[in-house]
Structure formats: C-alpha cells, structure tokens
C-alpha cells in the first residue's frame, strides 16, 4: 500500500516535471511556431538567477518565483528583439539561430560562473509514508505545475489578453487590421514563454546542480514533449507529458533509470512515426 | 551544361590536390588530417541537406557508428580491411533503415529533426552506459564513457604490420575526400541527383510525375550516412580511440554549423566551412581568454542573421557580380530556402488555424 502511494507520487511527479520543463517552450512553439533551442539555457539562467539571489540573502521562494522569471523574461525580450524578430516564419533558421544562442549562453555562463556545479538545498523537508521516505519538495513541484498549467489556461481562454494573443496567432493580418500590433503581441508572448521557462529553471534549481551546460539535459526532453504534443498548447503538452512520464517511470521501475530514459526516447520516435503531426494533430483537435 | 560542370569539378579537384600537397608545409599534418576528416563529415550533411533538403540533426550518429563499427571489428579481427568496409556499410544500412522509417512515414521537416535528434540521444545514452564488463562484442568491450582504445589502426590491406600513419595517412584521407567529392559530384550529375534536387524544390510535383520520392530520399539519406561513416572510420584511425562523445549533440551541432557557415547548396562550402571552423576551434583551444563555445555560438547566430547563404555562395555571388550579370541563375538554385522553408510556412499557416 505504501509502495503503491510512493510509486503513484513518483509517476505524477515525473509527468509534472515534463510539463514544467516544457511549458515555456510549448507556449512559444504552440502560439508562435518558433522553436527556441536555447530553452534549456534559459532554464539554466533561471537557475543561476535563483542561486545568486539566495546567496545574496533573498528569500528562496521570492528568488524562485519572482526573480528567476523576471530575469529570464527580460533575457527573452532582448533575444526576441535582437534575433527572433527577424526570423518569424522561418522555422529552421530560428532553430539554428537559437541553437547558436544556446552555445553563446553556455559560453557566457562559463565565463561568469566557471565550469563548476553550484546549488542550493531544497527548502522543504522530506517526510515518511510508512517505510518510505518521500521528498517534500517534489510534492511542492507537482502543486506548482498544476497552478502554472491552470494559470496559463485561464489567461489564454479567459482574459482579453489571451484572446488577442490567440487571434494574432491565427490571423495576424486580421488582428493588425483590428488595431492590435502583431509585433507587440509576439513580443509579449515570447516574454511570457521565457518567464515561464525561467520559473521552471528556478523551481528546479534546488533539485539539480546547476552548471553552465545544465540546459542540455532539459532541452531534448522539452523539445520531444512539445513536438509530440502537436499544435494545441495545453492539451498537447499534458497528453504527451503523461504518456512519456508513464513510459519512462514504468521502465525505470521495472529495469533501471537508464532504460527508462531510453524507453522515453524510443516512445517518442514510435509516436512521431505513427502520428507525424503530434498527438493533438489527431486527437483533441482544435482544443486549447 | 554537363561539360561545364565536369570542367568545374575537375578544377576543384586539381586545386584541392595542389592544396593537399602544399598543406603539410604550412600546418602540422596531424592537425590537417582531422580537418580533412571533418571536411568529409560536413560533406555528408551538405549532400543530404543542401541537395536533398533533409535537415538531419543526427549526422553524428553515423559518424560515431562508423567509428565504433571500425573499432569493434578491428579489435576482433586485427586487420583493418574488413573493419574499414564495415565502418562504411553499417552506417549505410542503419541510415537506410532509419530513413525508410521516416520517409515512408512521410515525416515533415521539424519532425524529421526531432527524430534524428532523439536517435542521437539514444545512442549517446546507451553507449555511455556500457561501461560494465557485460557489454562485450567478441573481444571488444564497449567501455562506456571511457570509449574503446587500442584497436588496430589502418594498415596496408593484407599486411597488419604495415600501418598507414602520419603523413601517409594524411595523403590517404586527402585522396579519400577527393574521391568522395568526385563520386558525389557524379551522383548529383546523374538522373538520380537531378531528381533529388527536384524533390528538394517541390516534392509534390516530383511525386505526381511518377517518381518514388520516399525511396529516393531514403537512398540519398543512406548515401549521406555512408559518407559520414567513412569519416568516422578515418577518425577512429586518426584518434586511435573512439568515445561516446562522437555521438553527442554537440558533435551534431558542430556539423550543422559547418554547413551553415560554409554554405548550403554547394559541396565545397561545407568542406571549407568545416576545415576553417575546426581549425579556428583548434586555435581557440590553445588560449584561455575567450570561451570556444561562446565564439561558435556567436558565429552561428550572426551567420544565420546576416549570411543566410553561407560564405562560399556569397563569395561566388560577389565574384559573379563583379564580372557582371549571371546572378539570377544562382538565385534560382538557392539551397536551403528552397523547399524546406516555404513548405514550413505553408504548414505553419495550415496548422495555425487549429491552435
């Protein structure tokens, strides 16, 4: 019984983790058809922002929830203005330019922080369930992920801002004619996506040691999750994260974590072969 | 037209041959050898991306597969002829299977990118985890993150004692690159190559004309895999060790940067790009003031923004302009903006309605 609870928590946690690391990328890709390959490095920057502000004496929650998104959001704003703005509609070129950007950020971080691992300890203690120890911070991450997805859904479907954003993504010329500057909408959307990425980086910083190359471990998973999800932002993200989280945890539980990782990747290949437009290209079509 | 191309190819080969002879007096031949090997690796992606419109994020897979096939076979056999051939054949076969899986599934550009990227990761993770003694093929331990050292390097066929090394190996690699270049040129001039370029420009139209697009793309992809495998084989002989790093994303990224900077839609461009950038990396590695990754990132961003055609085509364009006229033909044959980008915009427009 205790084991079952622990395993369920573990599965939910791995799904939540995938959602958390992919959400920023999903917004930017789903809304703007831009794949930001510097996504992992944005998370790395968020992590560093958190660690630096905690070391400077700020409250850890403030650092994670406010400083990290703000720093990365502003970084995203700069990047959008300088690079991505010129490449809208050229998917492959954007991928290449942001890949260059990711190398650039790794280089900069190495220059500033050196090639060493830094980290902070999780602010929440673990607690036992029967004979097993459960990491309290993992539960916090699950709650945060639920809140983030809820917030994104609420903003996109319930507010005027979300309506304008969705409208611009569908018909930018029409939005322009109605008086909403698409350039500005893209800018704000990219800012929001980057801020979300920074938030994810901040939230994960107590769990993983941050090195300048830390982004690499996230980008592939985020990229796979978002592309496999397909066109719909939230439905796609949730469905592919659930599928991959289940597959990887099942194999991790049955064999070991190495096999779990590989199973996730193989599942992605099979899925894309069967559903080349991603999950929401076939199911939940037209959802948000 | 064909005669002109033949003459141009011949000119490139003669110039390259002379450069190969002069090279060792300028740069240490050990370094030059690896530049040539990287040049060949870039050529493989330049062929399938620049001429076939297939953006492969995992060209490093075939590079590493060639190297590992060679190393494992050479450890077991102790003579290099069969391993050398295996180092080409295995990546060819794997690329054929992977390509068939993707192209018969009619995967479009981004999804192609994801799958090749994922396959790279699978290999990287798997090979990295094979450090234990239970991972053995014949006498060869896979060695995990330590790689496989101490295998038989390239020797004169039939005589395991007569190693081809140092300056001889340099000439061997140089001639191999020239032979590959000539063969690829021949392939592109053949009806197969013409149709491949046509597929890049407009896949649907070619399909409606009755060509089997899926099969042709698969074959082209496999040929690219074989060339990358050959360069991996040579790399294994050069480095005398193979490591999982050959499968890494960083390696794949570098190949793409070489092609972008050198220029897509040409064959000389990627080769020159690879050699120049690999040498730059070598020079940067000797100092500690600027981080190498930073410089490469900057180069990639700037070249995508300001030199979308790459260095070699831009130079060719400038030269032609100075001589006056003739640039319109060039524009018609533009490589990477061809099918990929336009189709992608259409896809984006179509899918945009579903969001």
């Amino acid at each position: 019984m205790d084991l079952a609870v622990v395993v369920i928590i573990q599965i939910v946690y791995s799904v939540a983790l995938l959602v958390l690391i992919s959400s920023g990328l999903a917004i930017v890709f789903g809304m703007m058809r831009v794949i930001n390959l510097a996504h992992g490095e944005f998370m790395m920057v968020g992590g560093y922002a958190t660690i630096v502000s905690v070391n400077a004496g700020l409250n850890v929650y403030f650092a994670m929830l406010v400083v990290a998104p703000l720093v990365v959001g502003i970084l995203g704003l700069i990047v959008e203005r300088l690079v991505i703005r010129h490449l809208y509609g050229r998917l492959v070129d954007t991928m290449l330019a942001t890949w260059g950007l990711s190398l650039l950020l790794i280089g900069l971080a190495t220059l500033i922080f050196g090639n060493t691992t830094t980290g902070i300890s999780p602010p929440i203690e673990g607690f036992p369930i029967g004979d097993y120890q459960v990491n309290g911070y993992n539960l916090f991450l699950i709650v945060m992920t639920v809140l983030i997805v809820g917030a994104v859904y609420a903003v996109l479907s319930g507010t005027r801002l979300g309506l304008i954003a969705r409208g611009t993504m569908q018909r930018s010329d029409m939005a322009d004619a109605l008086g909403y500057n698409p350039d500005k909408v893209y800018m704000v959307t990219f800012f929001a996506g980057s801020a979300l990425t920074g938030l994810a980086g901040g939230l994960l910083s107590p769990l993983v040691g941050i090195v300048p190359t830390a982004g690499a471990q996230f980008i592939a998973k985020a990229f796979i999750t978002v592309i496999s999800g397909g066109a719909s932002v939230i439905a796609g993200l949730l469905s592919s994260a659930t599928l991959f989280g289940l597959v990887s945890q099942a194999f991790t539980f049955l064999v070991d974590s190495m096999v779990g990782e590989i199973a996730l990747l193989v599942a992605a290949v099979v899925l894309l072969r069967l559903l080349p437009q991603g999950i929401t290209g076939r199911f939940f079509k037209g959802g948000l | 037209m064909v005669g002109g191309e033949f003459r141009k190819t011949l000119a490139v080969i003669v110039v390259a041959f002379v450069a190969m002879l002069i090279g060792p007096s300028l740069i240490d031949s050990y370094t030059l050898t690896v530049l040539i090997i990287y040049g060949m690796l870039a050529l493989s992606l330049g062929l399938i991306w620049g001429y076939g419109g297939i953006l492969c994020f995992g060209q490093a897979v075939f590079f590493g597969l060639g190297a590992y096939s060679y190393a494992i076979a050479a450890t077991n056999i102790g003579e290099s002829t069969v391993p050398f051939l295996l180092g080409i054949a295995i990546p060819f076969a794997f690329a054929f299977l992977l390509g068939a899986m993707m192209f018969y599934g009619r995967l479009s550009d981004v999804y192609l990118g994801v799958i090749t990227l994922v396959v790279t990761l699978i290999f990287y993770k798997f090979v990295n985890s094979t450090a234990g003694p239970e991972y053995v093929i014949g006498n060869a331990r896979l060695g995990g993150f330590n790689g496989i050292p101490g295998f038989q390097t390239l020797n004169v066929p039939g005589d395991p004692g007569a190693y081809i090394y140092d300056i001889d190996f340099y000439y061997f690699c140089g001639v191999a690159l020239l032979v590959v270049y000539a063969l690829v040129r021949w392939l592109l001039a053949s009806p197969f190559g013409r149709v491949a370029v046509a597929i890049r420009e407009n896949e649907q139209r070619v399909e409606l004309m009755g060509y089997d697009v899926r099969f042709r793309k698969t074959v082209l992809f496999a040929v690219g895999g074989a060339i990358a495998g050959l360069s991996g084989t040579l790399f294994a002989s050069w480095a005398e060790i193979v490591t999982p790093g050959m499968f890494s994303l960083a390696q794949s990224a570098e190949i793409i940067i070489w092609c972008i900077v050198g220029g897509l839609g040409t064959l000389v461009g990627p080769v020159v790009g690879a050699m120049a950038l690999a040498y730059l990396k070598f020079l940067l590695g000797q100092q500690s003031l600027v981080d190498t990754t930073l410089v490469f990132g900057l180069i990639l961003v700037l070249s995508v923004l300001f030199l979308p055609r790459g260095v070699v085509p831009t130079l060719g364009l400038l030269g032609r302009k100075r001589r006056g006229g003739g640039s319109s033909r060039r524009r018609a044959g533009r490589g990477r903006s061809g099918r990929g980008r336009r189709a992608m915009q259409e896809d984006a427009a179509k899918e945009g309605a579903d969001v």
Side-chain angles (χ1 to χ4, degrees):
Chain A
M1 182 56 209
D2 298 339
L3 182 66
V5 172
V6 172
V7 168
I8 288 171
I9 290 179
Q10 200 55 41
I11 289 174
V12 174
Y13 169 66
S14 74
V15 172
L17 204 60
L18 278 176
V19 172
L20 191 63
I21 62 178
S22 323
S23 54
L25 193 68
I27 299 246
V28 172
F29 175 70
M31 303 290 286
M32 302 157 74
R33 298 270 122 192
V34 163
I35 289 184
N36 177 12
L37 283 181
H39 178 75
E41 279 62 41
F42 278 27
M43 287 182 69
M44 179 267 289
V45 172
Y48 270 119
T50 309
I51 291 171
V52 167
S53 16
V54 167
N55 289 343
L58 280 176
N59 177 288
V60 62
Y61 291 104
F62 182 76
M64 275 192 293
L65 302 177
V66 180
V67 176
L70 220 58
V71 168
V72 179
I74 290 168
L75 173 71
L77 213 56
I78 297 170
V79 166
E80 202 267 350
R81 286 290 95 182
L82 287 181
V83 181
I84 295 175
R85 179 162 65 107
H86 306 288
L87 300 171
Y88 282 126
R90 288 154 62 185
L91 192 56
V92 172
D93 284 352
T94 340
M95 275 166 91
L96 294 169
T98 49
W99 198 340
L101 201 68
S102 89
L103 296 178
L104 194 73
L105 287 173
I106 292 174
L108 278 177
T110 314
L111 271 184
I112 298 171
F113 298 102
N115 209 354
T116 50
T117 311
T118 45
I120 47 176
S121 51
I124 298 173
E125 295 289 309
F127 59 89
I129 293 182
D131 298 337
Y132 302 94
Q133 182 78 10
V134 175
N135 190 339
Y137 193 73
N138 289 4
L139 291 179
F140 173 67
L141 280 189
I142 295 174
V143 173
M144 283 310 296
T145 308
V146 172
L147 287 180
I148 288 172
V149 173
V152 170
Y153 181 79
V155 168
L156 279 181
S157 68
T159 66
R160 186 156 184 84
L161 208 67
L163 188 69
I164 294 170
R166 281 187 293 142
T168 310
M169 303 316 152
Q170 285 186 15
R171 285 291 299 269
S172 59
D173 52 345
M174 198 59 87
D176 202 7
L178 290 170
Y180 300 105
N181 185 356
D183 200 44
K184 237 178 221 161
V185 178
Y186 286 136
M187 197 174 86
V188 173
T189 312
F190 199 82
F191 172 81
S194 307
L196 212 52
T197 310
L199 179 62
L203 285 171
L204 286 179
S205 60
L207 286 180
V208 291
I210 297 284
V211 263
T213 52
Q217 57 180 311
F218 304 122
I219 178 62
K221 268 187 200 165
F223 192 32
I224 294 163
T225 310
V226 169
I227 298 282
S228 308
S232 309
V233 179
I234 290 174
L237 182 61
L238 290 181
S239 52
S240 65
T242 308
L243 181 71
F244 292 148
L246 272 177
V247 168
S248 78
Q249 277 310 307
F251 279 91
T252 303
F253 188 64
L254 292 174
V255 196
D256 61 29
S257 67
M258 234 308 288
V259 178
E261 295 260 298
I262 289 181
L264 189 159
L265 298 171
V266 173
V269 172
V270 173
L271 182 78
L272 280 179
R273 173 64 175 77
L274 298 178
L275 304 170
Q277 295 299 321
I279 296 175
T280 49
R282 173 76 60 88
F283 307 109
F284 317 112
K285 221 170 169 172
L288 191 62
Chain B
M1 180 69 196
V2 173
E5 250 173 51
F6 180 72
R7 233 172 293 140
K8 225 167 71 188
T9 307
L10 208 63
V12 168
I13 289 180
V14 169
V15 170
F17 191 75
V18 173
M20 182 181 90
L21 294 181
I22 302 173
S25 55
L26 300 173
I27 306 173
D28 164 36
S29 71
Y30 183 72
T31 315
L32 268 182
T33 311
V34 77
L35 296 187
I36 290 178
I37 293 170
Y38 283 151
M40 192 185 293
L41 184 56
L43 183 72
S44 73
L45 187 66
L47 170 67
I48 63 166
W49 188 13
Y51 289 89
I54 304 164
L55 172 53
C56 176
F57 270 81
Q59 203 66 8
V61 167
F62 310 121
F63 181 62
L65 206 57
Y68 266 81
S69 308
Y70 176 82
I72 291 165
T75 311
N76 283 313
I77 298 172
E79 204 272 339
S80 72
T81 314
V82 177
F84 183 78
L85 295 176
L86 279 178
I88 303 169
I90 292 179
F92 176 84
F94 181 71
F96 193 89
L97 288 178
L98 183 66
M101 190 212 58
M102 296 189 301
F103 300 125
Y104 280 84
R106 295 204 179 278
L107 293 179
S108 60
D109 304 68
V110 200
Y111 301 95
L112 218 69
V114 185
I115 291 213
T116 48
L117 185 128
V118 170
V119 171
T120 317
L121 280 174
I122 293 178
F123 268 93
Y124 182 65
K125 291 209 159 138
F126 173 72
V127 176
N128 248 325
S129 72
T130 55
E134 68 272 27
Y135 295 101
V136 176
I137 299 179
N139 299 321
R141 268 186 62 179
L142 286 179
F145 41 82
N146 296 316
I148 309 175
F151 45 82
Q152 172 85 10
T153 55
L154 205 65
N155 59 255
V156 176
D159 183 4
Y163 291 105
I164 300 174
Y165 68 105
D166 206 22
I167 194 83
D168 294 331
F169 185 60
Y170 164 69
Y171 287 123
F172 180 82
C173 291
V175 171
L177 178 59
L178 289 181
V179 170
V180 168
Y181 174 76
L183 285 176
V184 168
R185 269 268 156 252
W186 170 76
L187 181 76
L188 288 173
S190 72
F192 178 84
R194 303 269 172 208
V195 175
V197 173
I199 293 172
R200 177 194 76 196
E201 291 300 320
N202 192 330
E203 189 167 334
Q204 199 174 22
R205 195 173 294 172
V206 175
E207 181 120 53
L208 290 173
M209 286 163 89
Y211 293 104
D212 189 348
V213 168
R214 298 167 300 182
F215 181 69
R216 281 165 186 273
K217 276 175 119 172
T218 306
V219 171
L220 187 72
F221 191 68
V223 170
I227 297 172
L230 173 62
S231 69
T233 307
L234 294 174
F235 186 87
S237 251
W238 174 82
E240 296 176 19
I241 185 171
V242 293
T243 57
M246 298 182 75
F247 289 110
S248 66
L249 275 185
Q251 181 73 57
S252 282
E254 232 169 272
I255 307 171
I256 289 177
I257 298 174
W258 294 336
C259 286
I260 284 278
V261 173
L264 279 171
T266 66
L267 287 181
V268 178
V271 177
V272 172
M275 289 182 171
L277 288 179
Y279 190 60
L280 177 69
K281 189 178 181 183
F282 171 75
L283 291 179
L284 284 173
Q286 289 177 332
Q287 51 90 46
S288 55
L289 195 64
V290 207
D291 191 78
T292 319
T293 326
L294 195 150
V295 175
F296 268 74
L298 205 60
I299 290 176
L300 182 54
V301 175
L302 292 180
S303 61
V304 171
L305 283 178
F306 299 112
L307 266 183
R309 289 165 188 219
V311 173
V312 170
T314 307
L315 285 181
L317 207 66
L318 285 179
R320 214 161 291 184
K321 250 187 206 150
R322 198 168 301 156
R323 268 178 274 148
S327 66
S328 58
R329 200 174 54 123
R330 181 96 218 161
R331 206 164 293 142
R334 264 181 76 178
R336 58 197 251 255
S337 67
R339 206 204 83 76
R341 197 180 293 156
R342 225 175 308 138
M344 214 100 66
Q345 276 165 349
E346 279 162 23
D347 284 354
K350 259 181 264 160
E351 280 166 21
D354 293 339
V355 176

